[in-house]
Amino acid sequence: MEFITYEQDGFVGVVTINRPQALNALNSQVLEEIEATFDAIDLDNTRAVVLTGAGEKSFVAGADIGEMSTLTKAEGEAFGKKGNDVFRKIETFPIPVIAAVNGFALGGGCEISMSCDIRICSDNAVFGQPEVGLGITPGFGGTQRLARLVGAGMAKQMIYSARNIKADEAYRIGLVNAVYPLEELLPAAEKLANTIAKNAPIAVRNCKKAINDGLQVNIDEAIVIEEKLFLK
Ligand code: CO8
């Protein structure tokens, strides 16, 4: 792996996107390596995962603009699908994934954080969907997940205006659950992951599945999903 590091600490795995020279931007190789890293996690001995970025400035500054500018239409579609597949893998990963957003989370960076179960951030974090300013749409699920997380009105404002928001505003609109001084962010994420890891692992997994699957259907179908998972 060139751009991803993985550390296991007890029941908690820490995945770090490690391409700081490009502010951890997502090129095809980074996406492939994220996928391979999650595929390799030992689910018998891991109960929660923290996803963060290397360095003190950026979580992920988006999809790689240089690579995207070289893509044909077909290649662009394949790149969009690759991102969607990898982010969906994170979203449906059997155990909780916590995004520790340590700086810029723009475009694909905001989008990968939204595929995680929980987002916490540092006080220097900046979130945004700058895509329409670049002539594209937030194609790694941004139009869908942002609206689900913060409501359609706020998502539309952020996406149409392409205006970045700082950590305090991300907290105010519910995009992140908590804000920490930068040096306290990773310890806080690991502490939360360990708190989760102390609970019954199958119950936690079933809760993730029940919440995720239940949000896609009406309440009558949703409670049946919960019932079926209750005794699993
Ligand atoms: N891609 C590639 N390289 C990047 C990216 C990026 N997204 N962001 C930063 N870098 C590189 C810079 O080119 C620079 O490299 P170098 O030192 O070789 O010149 C290095 O990182 C440091 O960046 P800056 O010098 O620009 O650092 P600043 O502190 O001055 O600025 C910013 C930081 C504000 C984050 C600035 O770098 C920036 O605006 N970056 C681009 C942010 C952006 O627009 N991201 C969204 C991209 S679009 C997207 O994510 C779409 C997702 C869906 C795709 C669907 C496809 C179908």
Side-chain angles (χ1 to χ4, degrees):
M1 293 273 174
E2 186 181 353
F3 295 129
I4 306 293
T5 56
Y6 181 79
E7 286 167 84
Q8 184 85 30
D9 184 6
F11 283 125
V12 173
V14 180
V15 177
T16 304
I17 300 172
N18 193 356
R19 196 191 172 207
Q21 68 279 14
L23 303 186
N24 305 320
L26 304 171
N27 62 17
S28 300
Q29 187 179 342
V30 174
L31 289 174
E32 300 279 357
E33 291 188 12
I34 294 171
E35 182 173 42
T37 301
F38 274 85
D39 282 341
I41 290 175
D42 173 6
L43 287 169
D44 290 332
N45 293 297
T46 311
R47 296 184 180 180
V49 173
V50 173
L51 176 68
T52 194
E56 300 188 338
K57 187 170 167 181
S58 182
F59 172 67
V60 170
D64 190 295
I65 291 176
E67 181 178 331
M68 277 196 299
S69 70
T70 68
L71 301 179
T72 62
K73 187 167 184 292
E75 288 167 341
E77 280 171 16
F79 183 64
K81 178 162 177 10
K82 169 55 79 182
N84 275 331
D85 289 350
V86 173
F87 292 11
R88 190 75 180 129
K89 180 178 288 273
I90 294 171
E91 189 166 50
T92 59
F93 203 59
I95 57 177
V97 182
I98 301 165
V101 178
N102 56 315
F104 291 113
L106 303 176
C110 187
E111 291 167 304
I112 195 171
S113 81
M114 293 190 292
S115 72
C116 298
D117 293 271
I118 294 166
R119 282 150 300 287
I120 61 176
C121 76
S122 53
D123 48 14
N124 68 333
V126 176
F127 292 80
Q129 299 285 170
E131 284 91 341
V132 295
L134 302 169
I136 58 175
T137 52
F140 287 161
T143 57
Q144 301 309 307
R145 294 195 179 92
L146 190 59
R148 282 166 169 77
L149 279 169
V150 303
M154 189 57 76
K156 286 175 175 175
Q157 182 173 323
M158 281 180 66
I159 289 170
Y160 300 167
S161 71
R163 187 178 68 83
N164 293 340
I165 60 170
K166 293 183 178 166
D168 56 347
E169 192 172 353
Y171 177 67
R172 187 178 61 76
I173 66 172
L175 185 55
V176 299
N177 291 3
V179 182
Y180 296 90
L182 180 60
E183 63 279 10
E184 293 174 22
L185 176 66
L186 199 51
E190 289 173 347
K191 188 174 173 201
L192 177 56
N194 276 298
T195 301
I196 293 168
K198 285 194 184 84
N199 292 321
I202 304 298
V204 171
R205 287 183 187 211
N206 286 348
C207 289
K208 172 165 179 170
K209 188 161 173 48
I211 293 169
N212 279 358
D213 292 357
L215 281 171
Q216 307 310 319
V217 298
N218 67 48
I219 188 69
D220 290 312
E221 291 174 36
I223 55 177
V224 174
I225 290 172
E226 188 190 67
E227 280 167 17
K228 287 188 175 154
L229 283 163
F230 185 69
L231 292 173
K232 233 182 163 189

